[in-house]
Amino acid sequence: MPSTRTSAETAARQAAAPILSARELCVDFKLEQGWVRAVDGVSFDVRRGEVLGIVGESGSGKSQILMAAMGLTAANGRCSGSVTFEGEEVLNATPDRLDRIRGSSMSMIFQDPMTSLNPYMRVVDQLTEVLVAHQGKSRAEAVNIAVEMLERVRIPDARRRISLYPHEFSGGMRQRVMIAMALLCRPALLFADEPTTALDVTVQAQILDLLNGLVHELNAAVVIVTHDLGVIARLCDRVIVLYGGRIMEEAAIGDLFTTPHHPYTQGLLAATPRLDDDTAHDLRTIPGTPRALAGQISGCPFAPRCERRMERCTVETPTLRRTTNGKRAAACHLVTA
Ligand SMILES: Nc1ncnc2c1ncn2[C@@H]1O[C@H](COP(=O)(O)OP(=O)(O)OP(=O)(O)O)[C@@H](O)[C@H]1O
Ligand code: SF4
Ligand SMILES: [Mg+2]
């Protein structure tokens, strides 16, 4: 269930400067018929020790937000707005600078372990590469650190298994190897894109708990992308609900689950019979069809599926408005304070 932190911890975190800030981030892709917008004016902050969830249906732009922040947008894409990491702009950073940030301070867990694991290289070589290249460790030191990290992600017999190739690990174990790899450089900021989707429920829970523990130990900031509200409930402090590339709602985890303000969030939660039921929390069960990728359209992107749609909703785009205490925000004409 929703992770709990003391109010003192939360207050201290809110006072700290964000490690990552996105402002009016847009990601566009060039297709044969012209440019289309996948991420549309997204702004958020993340601080050390905080786990931010980004939730939304397939195609809502979740991965592209992470890719933009990592400087990994595809060649046919372009980003605008701003993403700063420790105050430094990432969107126009040189490839060298990005490489250094990615090797030492920022890392990513991809949905498919084979995206970041090379099938032709032994795990030991892949894990030690970053430590030798970016941190100047000797090979022997790097192997010891890598074995220790594999043990921490609970890979049994890690000293022997580190010499295996990725295909010699089971799916769950490969995922753990990738998590170990992402945490090896002790990143200040970790992006996780559907890190457990491919795993069965028990392994998923174990890995999320593991991630949670390691992240708090490192006092890292985490942005985790998922379509799974169960994952959000287990891990996150704060959540952004994305629809059609735009933020529909942002709230602390407890507020989102107890009093969702936006009709889309309400729909998601209604489509999720019980959050503690590990078999029934897939957002893809919400009725209707997700919005097609489109350029800037007028009106609320959720209007075609919204049961509470009013006349103005199809002509006037609702802005993301903060509540008076600044703690949450929603983009809906019905939400006024
Ligand atoms: N290189 C590309 N060229 C054109 N369109 C792209 C490209 N990469 C992504 N898109 C489009 O951008 C939109 C957002 O994609 P994104 O991968 O961020 O979705 P997502 O929310 O992560 O979905 P999923 O849950 O399926 O992973 C999608 O419509 C996708 O098809
Ligand atoms: S702005 Fe209108 S269409 Fe959009 S979510 Fe609110 S009520 Fe529904
Ligand atoms: Mg994705």
Side-chain angles (χ1 to χ4, degrees):
M1 285 320 295
S3 56
T4 49
R5 313 261 185 271
T6 66
S7 50
E9 276 177 310
T10 307
R13 211 170 34 228
Q14 277 162 359
I19 188 166
L20 184 82
S21 288
R23 290 291 175 272
E24 292 300 318
L25 173 66
C26 295
V27 181
D28 299 322
F29 289 105
K30 191 169 176 43
L31 303 179
E32 268 174 29
Q33 63 270 34
W35 288 91
V36 289
R37 179 148 290 184
V39 176
D40 192 2
V42 164
S43 303
F44 61 87
D45 291 327
V46 201
R47 293 171 170 79
R48 271 187 176 264
E50 183 176 46
V51 182
L52 173 72
I54 303 181
V55 72
E57 292 169 47
S58 190
S60 57
K62 306 181 296 295
S63 296
Q64 293 313 316
I65 293 175
L66 300 196
M67 297 301 256
M70 288 283 285
L72 294 174
T73 302
N76 67 328
R78 69 176 178 205
C79 303
S80 60
S82 162
V83 178
T84 57
F85 172 70
E86 291 184 326
E88 185 183 349
E89 184 60 53
V90 176
L91 293 189
N92 57 15
T94 61
D96 272 3
R97 180 69 195 130
L98 276 174
D99 261 1
R100 268 201 304 281
I101 299 176
R102 289 197 293 249
S104 58
S105 318
M106 226 193 229
S107 53
M108 176 135 168
I109 302 171
F110 293 88
Q111 176 170 357
D112 172 10
M114 295 319 283
T115 308
S116 47
L117 293 176
N118 180 338
Y120 305 109
M121 261 172 96
R122 289 176 196 277
V123 162
V124 63
D125 297 321
Q126 303 189 51
L127 290 181
T128 52
E129 201 173 32
V130 66
L131 295 170
V132 174
H134 287 281
Q135 295 186 5
K137 305 278 184 211
S138 71
R139 164 88 182 171
E141 275 176 319
V143 171
N144 283 338
I145 294 170
V147 167
E148 196 187 311
M149 190 53 90
L150 289 182
E151 282 166 351
R152 299 189 60 185
V153 299
R154 302 202 194 105
I155 292 192
D157 200 8
R159 196 159 283 278
R160 181 186 65 80
R161 289 205 181 170
I162 196 169
S163 299
L164 301 178
Y165 287 92
H167 71 263
E168 295 176 277
F169 288 81
S170 69
M173 288 292 161
R174 258 200 306 267
Q175 197 80 15
R176 287 165 196 237
V177 170
M178 193 173 54
I179 291 172
M181 188 151 98
L183 295 170
L184 256 187
C185 62
R186 304 179 77 79
L189 175 62
L190 177 71
F191 294 113
D193 193 352
E194 307 272 10
T196 56
T197 308
L199 306 175
D200 73 53
V201 170
T202 319
V203 180
Q204 215 183 87
Q206 272 177 10
I207 289 197
L208 291 175
D209 288 348
L210 195 65
L211 203 54
N212 205 11
L214 288 168
V215 154
H216 286 97
E217 188 190 312
L218 296 176
N219 193 28
V222 181
V223 182
I224 180 168
V225 150
T226 181
H227 62 269
D228 187 333
L229 285 171
V231 171
I232 294 282
R234 199 168 190 113
L235 209 59
C236 296
D237 300 298
R238 217 152 39 85
V239 191
I240 282 172
V241 179
L242 206 64
Y243 186 82
R246 293 176 71 90
I247 296 180
M248 297 290 106
E249 180 156 13
E250 183 196 328
I253 179 85
D255 292 340
L256 192 92
F257 281 112
T258 51
T259 53
H261 283 172
H262 196 283
Y264 178 57
T265 319
Q266 290 163 359
L268 294 182
L269 292 169
T272 306
R274 282 180 43 210
L275 289 174
D276 55 354
D277 175 355
D278 282 330
T279 62
H281 50 228
D282 195 317
L283 296 197
R284 287 166 191 155
T285 55
I286 193 170
T289 313
R291 186 176 84 118
L293 188 68
Q296 286 130 315
I297 53 160
S298 59
C300 171
F302 188 55
R305 293 169 73 191
C306 183
E307 287 177 359
R308 302 176 69 191
R309 181 181 61 236
M310 306 166 285
E311 219 166 277
R312 67 187 283 213
C313 298
T314 50
V315 285
E316 198 184 320
T317 308
T319 51
L320 187 69
R321 263 203 298 260
R322 296 228 148 251
T323 49
T324 38
N325 63 12
K327 288 194 172 158
R328 56 190 299 178
C332 171
H333 294 309
L334 289 170
V335 183
T336 50

